[in-house]
Amino acid sequence: QVQLVESGGGLVQPGGSLRLSCAASGSIFSAYAMGWYRQQRELIATITRDGATNYADSVKGRFTISRDNAKNTVYLQMNSLKPEDTDVYYCNVVGPGFSDDYWGQGTQVTVSS
């Protein structure tokens, strides 16, 4: 089964930035679209295997999802962070290939002065 490990969270002041990483085990990463979710499983950003992206309105213009297929890693660059962005962030496959079995531990993002 796919294993996903999120990292890069932390404490940041409002207006600050963080870059989250999601490392996938195995060699099938490049075959799947990937996405970032917040703690309640709200899908906030997606990226296809070819690099096409979509964003939830709540993060559009502030967050950027990207991927490096050679490294089996998907990223979330988070800029202009707001206190309401505070949450646990997860990655998972989106579309075909998604499974609830893939959820990792997530990475905590806290935005506070």
XYZ file of all heavy atoms in Angstrom:
860
model
N 0.829 -1.187 0.000
C 0.000 0.000 0.000
C 0.873 1.250 0.000
O 2.007 1.224 0.463
C -0.925 0.030 1.218
C -1.978 -1.050 1.218
C -3.041 -0.785 0.163
O -3.330 0.356 -0.163
N -3.600 -1.861 -0.371
N 0.319 2.327 -0.510
C 1.002 3.606 -0.531
C 1.174 4.105 0.899
O 0.274 3.993 1.723
C 0.215 4.626 -1.366
C 0.818 6.022 -1.248
C 0.164 4.183 -2.814
N 2.334 4.679 1.184
C 2.586 5.349 2.450
C 2.922 6.804 2.176
O 3.755 7.095 1.318
C 3.727 4.685 3.216
C 3.429 3.278 3.674
C 4.537 2.715 4.530
O 5.198 3.434 5.282
N 4.752 1.413 4.422
N 2.269 7.698 2.909
C 2.443 9.129 2.728
C 2.879 9.748 4.042
O 2.269 9.492 5.079
C 1.143 9.776 2.250
C 0.572 9.232 0.938
C -0.831 9.782 0.694
C 1.488 9.594 -0.230
N 3.913 10.563 3.993
C 4.460 11.197 5.182
C 4.532 12.693 4.950
O 5.276 13.151 4.077
C 5.849 10.642 5.530
C 6.392 11.335 6.774
C 5.783 9.135 5.746
N 3.770 13.444 5.742
C 3.741 14.891 5.646
C 4.756 15.506 6.604
O 4.979 14.989 7.699
C 2.346 15.429 5.978
C 1.238 14.923 5.062
C 0.555 13.665 5.571
O 1.107 13.005 6.485
O -0.536 13.337 5.067
N 5.320 16.633 6.198
C 6.270 17.346 7.042
C 6.281 18.816 6.654
O 5.708 19.210 5.646
C 7.674 16.751 6.927
O 8.181 16.882 5.609
N 6.948 19.618 7.455
C 7.148 21.019 7.140
C 6.279 21.995 7.900
O 6.460 23.209 7.761
N 5.347 21.497 8.691
C 4.508 22.385 9.467
C 5.271 23.023 10.611
O 6.433 22.719 10.875
N 4.595 23.924 11.288
C 5.199 24.608 12.407
C 4.401 25.820 12.797
O 3.270 26.017 12.357
N 5.007 26.640 13.631
C 4.402 27.879 14.114
C 4.922 29.043 13.291
O 6.141 29.205 13.127
C 4.738 28.082 15.589
C 4.289 29.395 16.228
C 2.771 29.499 16.236
C 4.851 29.505 17.639
N 4.017 29.851 12.786
C 4.391 30.997 11.972
C 3.471 32.164 12.297
O 2.310 31.970 12.665
C 4.339 30.640 10.466
C 2.915 30.331 10.027
C 4.953 31.730 9.612
N 3.987 33.370 12.164
C 3.176 34.557 12.404
C 2.237 34.828 11.232
O 2.513 34.425 10.100
C 4.074 35.773 12.630
C 4.899 35.700 13.897
C 5.720 36.950 14.129
O 5.894 37.767 13.228
N 6.237 37.109 15.343
N 1.123 35.505 11.481
C 0.257 35.894 10.368
C 1.034 36.644 9.300
O 1.881 37.492 9.603
C -0.789 36.792 11.030
C -0.843 36.301 12.441
C 0.569 35.918 12.786
N 0.757 36.308 8.047
C 1.485 36.877 6.929
C 2.730 36.113 6.544
O 3.323 36.399 5.494
N 3.117 35.158 7.347
C 4.304 34.383 7.080
C 4.069 33.261 6.093
O 2.982 33.106 5.536
N 5.102 32.456 5.906
C 5.078 31.394 4.909
C 5.616 30.094 5.475
O 6.453 30.085 6.378
C 5.929 31.773 3.691
O 5.431 32.927 3.039
N 5.130 29.004 4.928
C 5.639 27.676 5.193
C 5.590 26.876 3.900
O 4.769 27.159 3.025
C 4.808 26.940 6.252
C 4.926 27.376 7.702
C 3.851 26.679 8.537
C 6.309 27.050 8.250
N 6.438 25.886 3.794
C 6.359 24.933 2.701
C 6.205 23.538 3.270
O 7.092 23.042 3.973
C 7.587 24.989 1.790
C 7.387 24.154 0.518
C 8.564 24.197 -0.436
N 9.685 23.389 0.038
C 10.646 22.932 -0.745
N 10.637 23.204 -2.045
N 11.635 22.227 -0.226
N 5.089 22.906 2.954
C 4.828 21.550 3.383
C 5.303 20.566 2.329
O 5.271 20.856 1.130
C 3.336 21.334 3.629
C 2.630 22.336 4.538
C 1.182 21.910 4.754
C 3.358 22.493 5.857
N 5.730 19.404 2.787
C 6.150 18.342 1.891
C 5.368 17.079 2.191
O 5.017 16.812 3.341
C 7.642 18.047 2.043
O 8.430 19.163 1.694
N 5.111 16.313 1.166
C 4.456 15.021 1.288
C 5.289 14.025 0.506
O 5.351 14.091 -0.725
C 3.027 15.085 0.746
S 2.200 13.482 0.592
N 5.918 13.128 1.223
C 6.772 12.122 0.608
C 6.012 10.810 0.482
O 5.444 10.316 1.456
C 8.036 11.920 1.437
N 6.007 10.254 -0.702
C 5.296 9.020 -0.986
C 6.274 7.881 -1.152
O 7.295 8.016 -1.834
C 4.444 9.162 -2.240
N 5.958 6.771 -0.533
C 6.772 5.578 -0.711
C 6.416 4.901 -2.022
O 5.358 5.149 -2.610
C 6.570 4.614 0.455
O 5.236 4.132 0.490
N 7.294 4.037 -2.465
C 7.042 3.296 -3.678
C 7.425 4.056 -4.922
O 7.888 5.202 -4.866
N 7.174 3.426 -6.037
C 7.571 3.981 -7.320
C 6.399 4.314 -8.229
O 6.599 4.540 -9.424
C 8.500 2.991 -8.031
O 7.855 1.755 -8.256
N 5.186 4.392 -7.674
C 3.992 4.654 -8.474
C 3.474 6.072 -8.326
O 2.429 6.408 -8.868
C 2.861 3.671 -8.116
C 2.423 3.843 -6.664
C 3.302 2.245 -8.386
C 1.185 3.041 -6.308
N 4.193 6.914 -7.613
C 3.732 8.261 -7.313
C 3.316 9.029 -8.557
O 2.274 9.685 -8.587
C 4.828 9.014 -6.560
C 4.550 10.473 -6.354
C 3.720 10.897 -5.332
C 5.135 11.422 -7.183
C 3.475 12.243 -5.133
C 4.895 12.773 -6.987
C 4.062 13.184 -5.964
N 4.116 8.964 -9.590
C 3.887 9.782 -10.769
C 2.627 9.414 -11.533
O 2.203 10.172 -12.402
C 5.094 9.706 -11.706
O 5.281 8.392 -12.197
N 2.008 8.290 -11.211
C 0.805 7.852 -11.908
C -0.466 8.520 -11.392
O -1.516 8.392 -12.028
C 0.656 6.339 -11.813
N -0.400 9.230 -10.270
C -1.598 9.717 -9.590
C -1.632 11.227 -9.469
O -0.613 11.880 -9.268
C -1.677 9.122 -8.185
C -1.814 7.629 -8.156
C -0.724 6.821 -7.847
C -3.028 7.030 -8.440
C -0.845 5.451 -7.819
C -3.154 5.654 -8.416
C -2.058 4.872 -8.100
O -2.191 3.502 -8.073
N -2.850 11.755 -9.548
C -3.083 13.109 -9.070
C -2.995 13.112 -7.545
O -3.333 12.121 -6.889
C -4.449 13.616 -9.521
N -2.539 14.215 -6.990
C -2.374 14.336 -5.551
C -3.056 15.597 -5.054
O -3.284 16.543 -5.811
C -0.893 14.388 -5.175
C -0.096 13.147 -5.547
S -0.578 11.700 -4.570
C -0.099 12.227 -2.920
N -3.366 15.597 -3.769
C -3.999 16.764 -3.190
C -3.602 16.973 -1.748
O -3.085 16.066 -1.088
N -3.850 18.182 -1.280
C -3.679 18.542 0.118
C -5.041 18.769 0.744
O -5.918 19.381 0.124
C -2.824 19.796 0.270
C -1.364 19.547 0.075
C -0.646 19.701 -1.063
C -0.448 19.081 1.076
N 0.674 19.370 -0.843
C 0.819 18.984 0.461
C -0.570 18.741 2.421
C 1.953 18.565 1.145
C 0.553 18.320 3.101
C 1.790 18.234 2.470
N -5.184 18.280 1.961
C -6.422 18.360 2.721
C -6.139 18.971 4.079
O -5.058 18.793 4.638
C -7.034 16.984 2.946
C -7.319 16.172 1.703
C -6.297 15.559 0.995
C -8.632 15.991 1.255
C -6.555 14.793 -0.129
C -8.899 15.222 0.139
C -7.859 14.625 -0.548
O -8.138 13.859 -1.658
N -7.149 19.640 4.628
C -7.068 20.071 6.013
C -7.727 19.027 6.898
O -8.270 18.032 6.426
C -7.705 21.449 6.188
C -7.038 22.516 5.327
C -7.107 23.871 5.963
N -7.935 24.797 5.213
C -7.620 26.066 4.984
N -6.485 26.588 5.455
N -8.454 26.844 4.305
N -7.705 19.265 8.196
C -8.000 18.223 9.181
C -9.369 17.590 8.990
O -9.528 16.385 9.204
C -7.874 18.787 10.592
C -7.927 17.736 11.682
C -7.603 18.326 13.037
O -7.782 19.513 13.285
N -7.124 17.485 13.937
N -10.358 18.362 8.601
C -11.709 17.842 8.394
C -11.885 17.260 6.997
O -13.010 17.054 6.547
C -12.742 18.932 8.658
C -12.721 19.481 10.081
C -12.880 18.392 11.122
O -13.745 17.512 11.002
N -12.048 18.428 12.150
N -10.797 16.990 6.328
C -10.765 16.373 5.010
C -11.300 17.277 3.910
O -11.777 16.804 2.878
C -11.501 15.023 5.009
C -11.017 14.041 6.081
C -9.541 13.721 5.919
N -9.145 12.576 6.735
C -8.444 12.657 7.868
N -8.055 13.841 8.327
N -8.118 11.548 8.515
N -11.195 18.572 4.138
C -11.487 19.542 3.092
C -10.344 19.545 2.088
O -9.193 19.798 2.437
C -11.656 20.936 3.700
C -11.839 22.032 2.659
C -11.638 23.423 3.219
O -11.071 23.555 4.326
O -12.054 24.395 2.549
N -10.664 19.305 0.838
C -9.658 19.318 -0.211
C -9.373 20.756 -0.614
O -10.271 21.458 -1.082
C -10.144 18.505 -1.406
C -9.189 18.351 -2.582
C -7.923 17.616 -2.169
C -9.886 17.616 -3.725
N -8.140 21.195 -0.451
C -7.814 22.591 -0.685
C -6.941 22.819 -1.905
O -6.884 23.946 -2.410
C -7.158 23.227 0.553
C -5.854 22.512 0.912
C -8.129 23.216 1.734
C -5.042 23.241 1.967
N -6.263 21.801 -2.392
C -5.402 21.970 -3.553
C -5.156 20.621 -4.193
O -4.979 19.619 -3.493
C -4.068 22.612 -3.173
N -5.147 20.592 -5.523
C -4.882 19.356 -6.249
C -3.882 19.614 -7.361
O -3.761 20.731 -7.871
C -6.153 18.746 -6.864
O -6.687 19.634 -7.857
C -7.211 18.487 -5.795
N -3.188 18.561 -7.736
C -2.269 18.632 -8.857
C -2.301 17.302 -9.587
O -2.218 16.237 -8.978
C -0.840 19.008 -8.402
C 0.075 19.193 -9.612
C -0.286 17.994 -7.416
C 1.385 19.880 -9.262
N -2.459 17.366 -10.895
C -2.462 16.151 -11.697
C -1.044 15.645 -11.883
O -0.062 16.309 -11.539
C -3.093 16.395 -13.067
O -2.213 17.200 -13.863
C -4.448 17.078 -12.943
N -0.951 14.471 -12.451
C 0.375 13.915 -12.696
C 1.171 14.747 -13.687
O 2.401 14.672 -13.705
C 0.256 12.474 -13.191
C -0.484 12.327 -14.512
C -0.652 10.877 -14.881
N -1.287 10.700 -16.180
C -1.567 9.537 -16.732
N -1.263 8.408 -16.086
N -2.154 9.479 -17.917
N 0.476 15.539 -14.489
C 1.132 16.393 -15.460
C 1.336 17.826 -14.976
O 1.901 18.644 -15.702
C 0.340 16.425 -16.763
C 0.271 15.078 -17.434
O 1.281 14.346 -17.402
O -0.792 14.743 -17.994
N 0.852 18.129 -13.767
C 1.113 19.429 -13.186
C -0.013 20.434 -13.232
O 0.182 21.577 -12.804
N -1.191 20.068 -13.727
C -2.332 20.975 -13.699
C -2.850 21.096 -12.269
O -2.964 20.093 -11.561
C -3.430 20.481 -14.622
N -3.190 22.312 -11.843
C -3.552 22.561 -10.453
C -4.939 23.164 -10.318
O -5.440 23.826 -11.230
C -2.545 23.492 -9.784
O -2.504 24.741 -10.493
C -1.157 22.875 -9.785
N -5.548 22.945 -9.155
C -6.798 23.568 -8.768
C -6.753 23.852 -7.276
O -6.094 23.133 -6.521
C -8.000 22.681 -9.098
C -8.415 22.770 -10.545
O -8.951 23.787 -10.983
N -8.158 21.718 -11.304
N -7.486 24.892 -6.865
C -7.464 25.336 -5.479
C -8.853 25.659 -4.983
O -9.711 26.130 -5.733
C -6.595 26.586 -5.329
C -5.170 26.386 -5.756
C -4.774 26.659 -7.064
C -4.223 25.906 -4.859
C -3.463 26.462 -7.461
C -2.913 25.707 -5.251
C -2.539 25.983 -6.551
O -1.236 25.785 -6.941
N -9.053 25.417 -3.695
C -10.251 25.902 -3.044
C -10.194 27.420 -2.936
O -9.114 28.014 -2.852
C -10.387 25.284 -1.654
N -11.359 28.042 -2.932
C -11.403 29.501 -2.854
C -10.705 30.037 -1.608
O -10.144 31.134 -1.632
C -12.851 29.987 -2.885
C -13.491 29.840 -4.251
O -12.764 29.681 -5.247
O -14.736 29.891 -4.317
N -10.728 29.274 -0.543
C -10.162 29.738 0.711
C -8.648 29.925 0.660
O -8.091 30.671 1.468
C -10.515 28.772 1.843
O -10.045 27.466 1.557
N -7.980 29.261 -0.283
C -6.524 29.344 -0.359
C -6.025 29.875 -1.689
O -4.813 30.112 -1.841
C -5.867 27.981 -0.066
C -6.351 27.417 1.255
C -6.124 26.996 -1.205
N -6.902 30.070 -2.636
C -6.506 30.512 -3.969
C -5.773 31.843 -3.897
O -6.205 32.778 -3.233
C -7.738 30.624 -4.865
C -7.431 30.830 -6.339
C -8.720 30.831 -7.163
C -9.458 29.510 -7.055
N -10.703 29.492 -7.872
N -4.652 31.905 -4.588
C -3.841 33.104 -4.593
C -2.817 33.167 -3.490
O -1.923 34.023 -3.527
N -2.929 32.292 -2.505
C -1.994 32.271 -1.384
C -1.167 30.990 -1.327
O -0.004 31.022 -0.931
C -2.736 32.442 -0.056
C -3.499 33.752 0.051
C -4.056 33.961 1.453
N -5.018 32.919 1.806
C -4.883 32.088 2.835
N -3.814 32.168 3.618
N -5.815 31.182 3.094
N -1.767 29.874 -1.711
C -1.091 28.581 -1.653
C -0.777 28.103 -3.065
O -1.547 28.347 -3.999
C -1.966 27.520 -0.976
C -2.231 27.738 0.488
C -1.805 28.878 1.151
C -2.921 26.775 1.204
C -2.062 29.063 2.503
C -3.182 26.944 2.550
C -2.752 28.088 3.201
N 0.328 27.392 -3.202
C 0.724 26.819 -4.476
C 1.131 25.367 -4.273
O 2.026 25.079 -3.479
C 1.893 27.591 -5.105
O 1.538 28.965 -5.275
C 2.248 26.999 -6.469
N 0.472 24.476 -4.986
C 0.817 23.067 -4.936
C 1.753 22.750 -6.100
O 1.603 23.290 -7.199
C -0.452 22.182 -4.971
C -0.100 20.710 -4.721
C -1.228 22.359 -6.260
C -1.329 19.818 -4.539
N 2.715 21.894 -5.847
C 3.645 21.476 -6.878
C 4.091 20.053 -6.584
O 3.809 19.507 -5.516
C 4.849 22.419 -6.967
O 5.577 22.433 -5.749
N 4.776 19.466 -7.534
C 5.246 18.098 -7.322
C 6.565 17.889 -8.032
O 6.873 18.532 -9.044
C 4.211 17.071 -7.805
C 3.989 17.036 -9.308
C 2.745 16.219 -9.658
N 2.875 14.826 -9.267
C 1.859 13.983 -9.134
N 0.608 14.416 -9.335
N 2.073 12.722 -8.787
N 7.340 16.975 -7.489
C 8.585 16.543 -8.089
C 8.487 15.033 -8.204
O 8.720 14.312 -7.233
C 9.781 16.962 -7.246
C 11.108 16.655 -7.915
O 11.159 15.762 -8.781
O 12.105 17.313 -7.570
N 8.120 14.570 -9.370
C 7.882 13.140 -9.545
C 9.157 12.317 -9.355
O 9.094 11.172 -8.905
C 7.279 12.872 -10.922
C 5.860 13.371 -11.041
O 5.167 13.563 -10.040
N 5.407 13.593 -12.268
N 10.295 12.888 -9.700
C 11.552 12.183 -9.516
C 11.848 11.924 -8.051
O 12.539 10.957 -7.712
C 12.699 12.959 -10.155
N 11.330 12.785 -7.165
C 11.536 12.637 -5.729
C 10.333 12.038 -5.016
O 10.348 11.912 -3.792
C 11.880 13.984 -5.101
C 13.184 14.586 -5.589
C 13.474 15.913 -4.901
C 14.788 16.495 -5.355
N 15.076 17.799 -4.709
N 9.293 11.684 -5.757
C 8.060 11.148 -5.163
C 7.531 12.068 -4.064
O 7.131 11.612 -2.991
C 8.289 9.750 -4.606
C 8.365 8.690 -5.679
O 8.203 8.969 -6.863
N 8.612 7.452 -5.264
N 7.515 13.354 -4.343
C 7.151 14.336 -3.338
C 6.219 15.385 -3.927
O 6.427 15.847 -5.052
C 8.398 15.026 -2.770
O 9.270 14.035 -2.206
C 8.027 16.020 -1.684
N 5.207 15.757 -3.152
C 4.327 16.868 -3.492
C 4.493 17.936 -2.418
O 4.685 17.623 -1.235
C 2.860 16.401 -3.636
C 2.323 15.829 -2.340
C 1.984 17.540 -4.141
N 4.420 19.195 -2.828
C 4.660 20.310 -1.940
C 3.442 21.216 -1.874
O 2.620 21.259 -2.784
C 5.847 21.145 -2.422
C 7.120 20.363 -2.582
C 7.490 19.845 -3.819
C 7.961 20.140 -1.498
C 8.662 19.128 -3.975
C 9.135 19.424 -1.643
C 9.487 18.919 -2.877
O 10.652 18.211 -3.024
N 3.361 21.956 -0.791
C 2.382 23.026 -0.673
C 3.089 24.255 -0.128
O 3.460 24.291 1.047
C 1.218 22.633 0.244
C 0.062 23.636 0.292
C -0.669 23.683 -1.050
C -0.910 23.299 1.411
N 3.304 25.226 -0.997
C 3.869 26.502 -0.579
C 2.744 27.369 -0.063
O 1.796 27.664 -0.794
C 4.580 27.185 -1.748
C 5.174 28.543 -1.404
C 6.299 28.452 -0.405
O 7.186 27.623 -0.550
N 6.256 29.294 0.621
N 2.840 27.777 1.183
C 1.786 28.514 1.860
C 2.301 29.910 2.175
O 3.208 30.071 2.994
C 1.366 27.798 3.140
C 1.059 26.317 2.930
S 0.925 25.392 4.484
C -0.585 26.081 5.151
N 1.734 30.903 1.525
C 2.109 32.293 1.742
C 0.937 33.066 2.323
O -0.207 32.629 2.257
C 2.556 32.944 0.431
C 3.772 32.296 -0.179
O 4.653 31.815 0.525
N 3.842 32.303 -1.509
N 1.235 34.231 2.859
C 0.208 35.106 3.433
C -0.694 34.349 4.390
O -1.925 34.456 4.341
C -0.613 35.757 2.312
O 0.208 36.498 1.435
N -0.091 33.600 5.271
C -0.854 32.746 6.172
C -1.700 33.558 7.141
O -1.292 34.620 7.610
C 0.080 31.816 6.923
C 0.582 30.630 6.091
C 1.807 30.007 6.731
C -0.530 29.592 5.945
N -2.877 33.022 7.425
C -3.841 33.643 8.314
C -4.099 32.726 9.503
O -3.945 31.511 9.397
C -5.164 33.892 7.577
C -5.040 34.705 6.306
C -6.377 34.772 5.579
C -6.285 35.570 4.300
N -7.586 35.620 3.588
N -4.532 33.288 10.622
C -4.852 32.423 11.766
C -5.851 31.326 11.432
O -5.750 30.223 11.975
C -5.410 33.407 12.797
C -4.709 34.686 12.483
C -4.596 34.715 10.986
N -6.799 31.606 10.558
C -7.785 30.599 10.192
C -7.209 29.450 9.375
O -7.893 28.449 9.143
C -8.972 31.229 9.448
C -8.576 32.096 8.270
C -8.555 33.580 8.608
O -8.011 33.939 9.676
O -9.078 34.383 7.817
N -5.965 29.573 8.925
C -5.296 28.465 8.260
C -4.774 27.432 9.251
O -4.327 26.355 8.831
C -4.125 28.967 7.413
C -4.565 29.820 6.243
O -5.578 29.481 5.590
O -3.890 30.833 5.960
N -4.799 27.748 10.519
C -4.331 26.817 11.535
C -5.106 25.508 11.442
O -6.332 25.499 11.509
C -4.478 27.425 12.930
O -3.633 28.573 13.040
C -4.099 26.420 14.007
N -4.392 24.421 11.291
C -5.032 23.124 11.109
C -3.948 22.064 10.973
O -2.758 22.382 10.945
C -5.919 23.118 9.853
C -7.183 22.291 10.016
O -7.142 21.271 10.740
O -8.220 22.654 9.413
N -4.374 20.833 10.876
C -3.496 19.744 10.500
C -3.684 19.496 9.012
O -4.814 19.365 8.533
C -3.784 18.460 11.302
C -2.850 17.339 10.878
C -3.650 18.734 12.794
N -2.588 19.414 8.279
C -2.619 19.278 6.831
C -2.172 17.879 6.423
O -1.180 17.352 6.942
C -1.725 20.332 6.177
C -2.325 21.714 6.212
C -2.397 22.423 7.402
C -2.842 22.304 5.061
C -2.969 23.680 7.453
C -3.411 23.560 5.098
C -3.474 24.247 6.296
O -4.044 25.498 6.331
N -2.911 17.306 5.496
C -2.665 15.958 5.007
C -2.574 15.964 3.491
O -3.166 16.806 2.816
C -3.805 15.011 5.379
C -4.092 14.871 6.845
C -4.902 15.782 7.511
C -3.573 13.798 7.566
C -5.188 15.641 8.854
C -3.855 13.647 8.909
C -4.662 14.573 9.549
O -4.946 14.421 10.884
N -1.880 14.981 2.957
C -1.917 14.744 1.526
C -2.528 13.380 1.250
O -2.594 12.518 2.122
C -0.516 14.841 0.898
S 0.669 13.614 1.484
N -3.011 13.211 0.049
C -3.541 11.935 -0.384
C -3.677 11.962 -1.899
O -3.642 13.017 -2.526
C -4.902 11.630 0.250
C -5.175 10.141 0.389
O -4.714 9.319 -0.416
N -5.931 9.768 1.423
N -3.846 10.796 -2.450
C -4.223 10.670 -3.849
C -5.609 11.262 -4.041
O -6.469 11.170 -3.165
C -4.197 9.191 -4.267
C -4.671 9.008 -5.702
C -2.796 8.608 -4.091
N -5.844 11.873 -5.189
C -7.179 12.327 -5.564
C -7.565 11.673 -6.877
O -6.710 11.324 -7.692
C -7.271 13.858 -5.678
C -6.989 14.506 -4.334
C -6.326 14.395 -6.737
N -8.874 11.513 -7.061
C -9.358 10.828 -8.244
C -9.096 9.337 -8.157
O -9.009 8.765 -7.063
N -8.966 8.706 -9.307
C -8.681 7.270 -9.282
C -7.427 6.965 -8.474
O -6.405 7.621 -8.620
C -8.477 6.930 -10.766
C -9.261 7.971 -11.495
C -9.127 9.213 -10.677
N -7.525 5.987 -7.627
C -6.417 5.624 -6.764
C -6.537 6.112 -5.334
O -5.780 5.658 -4.471
N -7.466 7.032 -5.053
C -7.655 7.517 -3.689
C -8.054 6.371 -2.767
O -8.819 5.482 -3.155
C -8.742 8.591 -3.648
C -9.165 8.969 -2.256
C -8.468 9.927 -1.544
C -10.248 8.350 -1.652
C -8.841 10.270 -0.252
C -10.634 8.686 -0.363
C -9.927 9.644 0.332
N -7.561 6.423 -1.535
C -7.963 5.462 -0.521
C -7.862 6.082 0.858
O -6.890 6.778 1.161
C -7.095 4.207 -0.572
O -7.419 3.328 0.491
N -8.846 5.807 1.703
C -8.776 6.209 3.101
C -7.647 5.498 3.841
O -7.236 5.942 4.910
C -10.100 5.942 3.812
C -11.140 7.008 3.547
O -10.770 8.194 3.426
O -12.334 6.662 3.462
N -7.146 4.430 3.286
C -6.041 3.712 3.913
C -4.723 4.464 3.822
O -3.764 4.109 4.509
C -5.863 2.335 3.270
C -7.023 1.403 3.527
O -7.744 1.606 4.514
O -7.195 0.459 2.737
N -4.658 5.484 2.980
C -3.393 6.170 2.738
C -3.108 7.333 3.673
O -1.985 7.858 3.669
C -3.335 6.684 1.305
C -3.416 5.622 0.234
C -3.785 5.972 -1.062
C -3.124 4.298 0.495
C -3.874 5.023 -2.064
C -3.208 3.337 -0.501
C -3.580 3.698 -1.778
O -3.658 2.759 -2.773
N -4.104 7.757 4.439
C -3.900 8.932 5.295
C -2.703 8.749 6.212
O -2.584 7.736 6.909
C -5.135 9.216 6.140
C -6.355 9.588 5.360
C -7.507 8.856 5.254
C -6.573 10.781 4.598
N -8.416 9.523 4.469
C -7.870 10.704 4.056
C -5.789 11.906 4.328
C -8.400 11.718 3.241
C -6.320 12.904 3.522
C -7.605 12.808 2.993
N -1.819 9.738 6.212
C -0.701 9.750 7.143
C -1.074 10.454 8.428
O -2.255 10.624 8.758
N -0.060 10.887 9.172
C -0.292 11.557 10.444
C -0.562 13.043 10.296
O -1.006 13.681 11.249
C 0.897 11.333 11.374
C 1.113 9.873 11.743
C -0.106 9.278 12.412
O -0.579 9.799 13.429
N -0.617 8.188 11.857
N -0.294 13.588 9.128
C -0.483 15.006 8.907
C 0.641 15.829 9.522
O 1.487 15.325 10.256
N 0.631 17.117 9.210
C 1.592 18.038 9.789
C 0.856 19.274 10.282
O -0.004 19.819 9.589
C 2.703 18.391 8.772
O 3.707 19.187 9.404
C 2.160 19.119 7.553
N 1.163 19.683 11.495
C 0.451 20.768 12.155
C 0.966 22.112 11.679
O 2.173 22.373 11.699
C 0.622 20.665 13.674
C 0.005 21.828 14.453
C -1.502 21.793 14.456
O -2.095 20.755 14.770
N -2.127 22.915 14.111
N 0.047 22.962 11.268
C 0.343 24.349 10.929
C -0.389 25.237 11.918
O -1.607 25.137 12.064
C -0.091 24.686 9.495
C 0.034 26.185 9.221
C 0.729 23.884 8.491
N 0.351 26.090 12.594
C -0.233 27.021 13.549
C 0.174 28.433 13.165
O 1.365 28.735 13.063
C 0.225 26.717 14.982
O -0.126 25.375 15.323
C -0.435 27.672 15.964
N -0.812 29.278 12.938
C -0.575 30.665 12.547
C -1.031 31.546 13.700
O -2.231 31.650 13.978
C -1.311 31.030 11.259
C -0.950 32.443 10.827
C -0.983 30.027 10.157
N -0.091 32.178 14.359
C -0.400 32.944 15.557
C 0.710 33.948 15.825
O 1.874 33.690 15.544
C -0.558 32.016 16.763
O -0.859 32.747 17.939
N 0.331 35.085 16.384
C 1.310 36.085 16.768
C 2.055 35.660 18.017
O 1.527 34.962 18.884
C 0.629 37.435 17.017
O -0.004 37.907 15.845
